[in-house]
Amino acid sequence: DNAKRYFEKYNKQKRTYEALTTQIEETQSEIEHLQSIAAALSMPLEQEDLTEIRQEMVQYGYLKKAPVSGKKGKIKITSKPHHYISSDGFHMYVGKNNFQNDALTFHFAENNDMWFHAKKRPGSHVIVRTEGKELPDRTYEEAGQLAAYYSSGRDADKVEIDYVEKKQVKKPAGGKPGFVIYHTNYSLMAKPDISGLKEIL
């Protein structure tokens, strides 16, 4: 009888542990998602850039859907990623929010383009179009500067940046916008200073 009672107690505690573990993982994912939205909102934005961020917050239940005028009831998205040219002439693109990050990485970038992101920090995806060429060290540095500046580490002296070929970046099943996984990467330290970079407006 004692053994049976202890076994039942064990099973109950095991179920509680499993339920709590799941809740902790879901809560951590929710926190990371909100931190990524907060990082996007902390960047210099125009009014049109806020449309996609609001859309994401409505989609995930953080905001109520506002009534929209028009026959189809759709909001026109006019916001585009930042577009820079490196000192060596390579095109560099920076997502302004999670939806743009996903679009850049999984619909715009080619497999051999380079992908940059601040390590373990919310921030923008940076894509450098390689056009099949080897990137010079200076372009790596400038792309790293963009990834550092457009991240939660903007006020730090230096930020660690992960970079990898785009084909190594995957979307986890059920992952929220902007969230990716990659298992092989290189890293560099970058100063979040883009004062010398040329943006195409």
Side-chain angles (χ1 to χ4, degrees):
D1 288 342
N2 283 340
K4 182 180 179 181
R5 188 164 56 251
Y6 282 122
F7 187 70
E8 289 174 349
K9 185 177 180 181
Y10 161 77
N11 277 332
K12 182 179 180 181
Q13 291 179 340
K14 181 182 178 183
R15 288 193 298 271
T16 301
Y17 173 80
E18 290 172 348
L20 286 174
T21 300
T22 300
Q23 288 181 2
I24 289 170
E25 290 174 353
E26 290 174 351
T27 301
Q28 184 60 40
S29 175
E30 197 83 1
I31 289 170
E32 290 174 358
H33 188 197
L34 287 168
Q35 286 175 335
S36 72
I37 292 173
L41 287 169
S42 71
M43 298 175 191
L45 298 170
E46 300 293 335
Q47 183 63 39
E48 63 181 13
D49 299 330
L50 297 172
T51 303
E52 283 179 309
I53 297 176
R54 178 178 177 79
Q55 187 182 58
E56 179 181 356
M57 294 179 76
V58 168
Q59 181 175 326
Y60 285 88
Y62 302 129
L63 290 176
K64 290 184 178 179
K65 188 173 183 180
V68 180
S69 59
K71 293 182 179 179
K72 295 184 179 180
K74 288 189 177 181
I75 301 172
K76 186 178 180 181
I77 304 297
T78 58
S79 174
K80 295 180 180 179
H82 292 292
H83 180 192
Y84 291 84
I85 300 291
S86 77
S87 298
D88 300 294
F90 288 88
H91 292 267
M92 305 183 291
Y93 299 87
V94 184
K96 292 179 181 176
N97 57 61
N98 288 327
F99 283 162
Q100 284 189 12
N101 286 338
D102 270 3
L104 273 178
T105 300
F106 299 110
H107 301 290
F108 175 77
E110 302 289 341
N111 278 337
N112 60 351
D113 289 341
M114 294 303 297
W115 180 91
F116 296 75
H117 191 276
K119 188 179 187 71
K120 296 182 179 179
R121 288 181 180 269
S124 297
H125 295 196
V126 175
I127 295 293
V128 180
R129 299 304 295 262
T130 66
E131 298 179 353
K133 301 174 184 176
E134 182 68 31
L135 295 183
D137 289 345
R138 184 166 54 177
T139 294
Y140 279 102
E141 292 169 4
E142 292 174 351
Q145 287 173 255
L146 287 171
Y149 182 80
Y150 290 106
S151 79
S152 63
R154 177 180 296 181
D155 296 325
D157 290 333
K158 286 196 174 181
V159 178
E160 186 173 2
I161 305 299
D162 285 346
Y163 64 96
V164 66
E165 279 190 306
K166 178 267 170 185
K167 64 185 176 184
Q168 303 294 336
V169 182
K170 309 298 180 186
K171 186 76 175 174
K176 292 182 172 65
F179 285 77
V180 301
I181 55 174
Y182 48 96
H183 302 293
T184 303
N185 66 275
Y186 302 96
S187 294
L188 60 84
M189 297 301 295
K191 189 174 181 179
D193 178 11
I194 62 171
S195 57
L197 299 183
K198 180 181 178 183
E199 183 171 9
I200 306 300
L201 301 175

